[in-house]
Amino acid sequence: MAGNSFGQLFKITTFGESHGPAIGVVIDGVPPKLPLSEADIQKDLDRRRPGQSKITTQRQEADKAEILSGVFEGKTTGAPLAILIRNTDQRSKDYENIKDVFRPGHADFSYIAKYGIRDYRGGGRSSGRETACRVAAGAVAKKILGRHGVDIIVYTLAVGEIFAKKIDYKTIEKNAVRTADSKAAQLMIASIEKARKNGDSLGSILQCVVKNCPPGLGDPCFDKLNARLAQALMSIATVKGIEFGDGFGASQLKGSVNNDRFVLKGKKISTATNHSGGIMGGISTGEDITIRMALKPPSSISKLQKTLNEKKQEVEVQVKGRHDPCLAPRVVPVAEAMIALTLIDCLMIQKATQL
Ligand SMILES: Cc1cc2nc3c(=O)[nH]c(=O)nc-3n(C[C@H](O)[C@H](O)[C@H](O)COP(=O)(O)O)c2cc1C
């Protein structure tokens, strides 16, 4: 199986399956002498963990990070950093009735088309559980980026048709849906609960803002910063659309409106507007990087659905088990992690470029 690694100088490799004994990540390229403890990683893992609120899956995983290598006396050594997260609450019997069924919207059919074999319990590698490893690695990346003043903010902008309007970042971690508008939060939570009761699920939009990103990150051709961020974020299962700056909206503007005029803010070259979302020519400008991500409604719904099995017979499937009725709150820390992993890699490449 290829494609389990991400990054060039700050390179992560994840391993493990949803219903195996453990999942984990090896990070190559962590700078030495960085103070690092399991608690630094646990904070973010707790924000992604299943069973954290009534609007997420009720699978109960502690998602406890164990650092196996790369840290000595509380500091990184420059050796590969290995982090293990044990699986403790698998319920593989929930998947018995669907072991030869292609669940609609899942990777079952495409997995068989590719490998001819699959671990049907919990989706194996295609499970959202793999993203815990990214969050663990992202926590390390964030710690380094924090030293450079880079701040990554991600929140739920919309659940179905309900949008956050009055944006206040301070409220994001104070509500179960991780939105930045406390009034909208109540409506979003109620709509998720209603969808779950009806055996259904809801799609959502995440808004990402990166503050204080240094200018100069990203390369002009294949490794444009927006291209790398798009790959990072689209590699999260369930993400179906991505926009930078005004995104699709820019196609409706005139050049005279869309162009970000350069101005001096104090002594700093800045732009009067930020339609480009902090990236021009694939390279960061130093303005806020703004990204929106569209998340599909999760496929595992308890409504009866028609589909096919491996013998090409038409069957009815009712997906059992514990599932997320809306993925936004759990994907927020995963998106932060993938942005952090991309930026740290680009920052290291930029430092090497300027040697
Ligand atoms: C953190 C996380 C949790 C997820 N939990 C669920 C879930 O409970 N139920 C579900 O149907 N899909 C869930 N997914 C999405 C599926 O893994 C994904 O839809 C499926 O593998 C098919 O991939 P695709 O949506 O990218 O085509 C989750 C994804 C992530 C990132």
Side-chain angles (χ1 to χ4, degrees):
M1 189 182 269
N4 295 294
S5 301
F6 180 81
Q8 292 167 20
L9 297 186
F10 193 95
K11 182 173 181 176
I12 70 160
T13 302
T14 71
F15 61 88
E17 286 99 25
S18 174
H19 286 225
I23 53 174
V25 59
V26 177
I27 318 172
D28 229 340
V30 182
K33 297 188 191 164
L34 175 77
L36 190 73
S37 70
E38 282 159 353
D40 290 323
I41 297 163
Q42 200 59 49
K43 267 192 301 209
D44 276 350
L45 279 178
D46 287 346
R47 294 171 61 232
R48 194 218 70 101
R49 169 178 99 67
Q52 60 182 276
S53 79
K54 58 185 180 175
I55 57 162
T56 64
T57 168
Q58 292 308 303
R59 180 170 170 171
Q60 292 299 330
E61 290 286 358
D63 277 358
K64 203 174 159 330
E66 294 172 46
I67 297 177
L68 302 186
S69 69
V71 175
F72 177 64
E73 295 181 338
K75 287 191 179 142
T76 56
T77 59
L81 184 71
I83 304 167
L84 191 77
I85 303 163
R86 291 178 201 274
N87 295 326
T88 56
D89 188 28
Q90 309 95 312
R91 251 201 238 157
S92 302
K93 68 173 169 29
D94 285 343
Y95 294 85
E96 275 293 316
N97 69 326
I98 49 142
K99 67 183 191 193
D100 61 349
V101 171
F102 300 134
R103 290 169 301 166
H106 276 283
D108 304 339
F109 172 73
S110 43
Y111 238 70
I112 286 288
K114 185 171 176 64
Y115 301 106
I117 182 170
R118 74 185 164 103
D119 178 351
Y120 60 84
R121 306 159 311 159
R125 283 294 283 167
S126 70
S127 168
R129 185 136 186 78
E130 182 268 339
T131 60
C133 308
R134 306 170 183 220
V135 170
V140 181
K142 272 192 207 171
K143 189 147 189 195
I144 306 166
L145 288 169
R147 293 174 148 191
H148 294 265
V150 181
D151 193 11
I152 301 165
I153 301 149
V154 181
Y155 62 88
T156 302
L157 179 65
V159 167
E161 289 173 357
I162 305 165
F163 275 74
K165 290 190 181 114
K166 222 173 139 206
I167 304 302
D168 176 1
Y169 295 155
K170 286 197 288 296
T171 67
I172 301 171
E173 289 302 318
K174 292 189 181 144
N175 62 80
V177 72
R178 295 207 162 88
T179 188
D181 174 344
S182 50
K183 263 196 189 152
Q186 301 318 313
L187 299 172
M188 289 175 181
I189 291 167
S191 71
I192 295 171
E193 285 178 326
K194 190 170 165 205
R196 193 214 292 268
K197 273 194 194 116
N198 291 337
D200 224 325
S201 61
L202 284 177
S204 48
I205 302 175
L206 299 188
Q207 175 74 50
C208 318
V209 185
V210 182
K211 294 202 166 284
N212 304 320
C213 179
L217 303 198
D219 291 285
C221 295
F222 299 110
D223 284 336
K224 286 186 171 64
L225 182 57
N226 41 330
R228 293 202 52 183
L229 283 166
Q231 194 212 345
L233 295 169
M234 291 293 274
S235 78
I236 305 170
T238 202
V239 176
K240 294 296 154 193
I242 191 150
E243 292 185 315
F244 291 88
D246 285 5
F248 276 67
S251 68
Q252 308 296 303
L253 300 179
K254 295 211 165 60
S256 53
V257 179
N258 188 53
N259 288 347
D260 295 319
R261 184 167 60 87
F262 288 98
V263 290
L264 268 182
K265 285 189 187 159
K267 285 187 181 157
K268 188 181 160 230
I269 294 185
S270 186
T271 57
T273 51
N274 191 19
H275 298 288
S276 59
I279 302 173
M280 289 185 194
I283 300 172
S284 61
T285 61
E287 297 301 308
D288 287 357
I289 295 176
T290 56
I291 311 167
R292 266 176 310 284
M293 302 159 56
L295 274 53
K296 76 176 195 185
S299 315
S300 294
I301 51 173
S302 59
K303 263 192 195 333
L304 210 57
Q305 300 173 86
K306 279 197 169 48
T307 187
L308 294 180
N309 65 17
E310 289 182 14
K311 292 183 192 132
K312 301 184 180 170
Q313 295 159 328
E314 197 173 280
V315 289
E316 283 191 327
V317 62
Q318 189 176 21
V319 180
K320 292 188 188 157
R322 300 154 295 174
H323 296 285
D324 291 293
C326 174
L327 285 167
R330 295 193 60 214
V331 176
V332 163
V334 183
E336 286 172 17
M338 290 314 294
I339 293 170
L341 290 167
T342 308
L343 294 181
I344 191 70
D345 200 38
C346 291
L347 185 62
M348 288 169 88
I349 291 168
Q350 174 62 358
K351 295 259 178 219
T353 306
Q354 295 284 348
L355 267 180

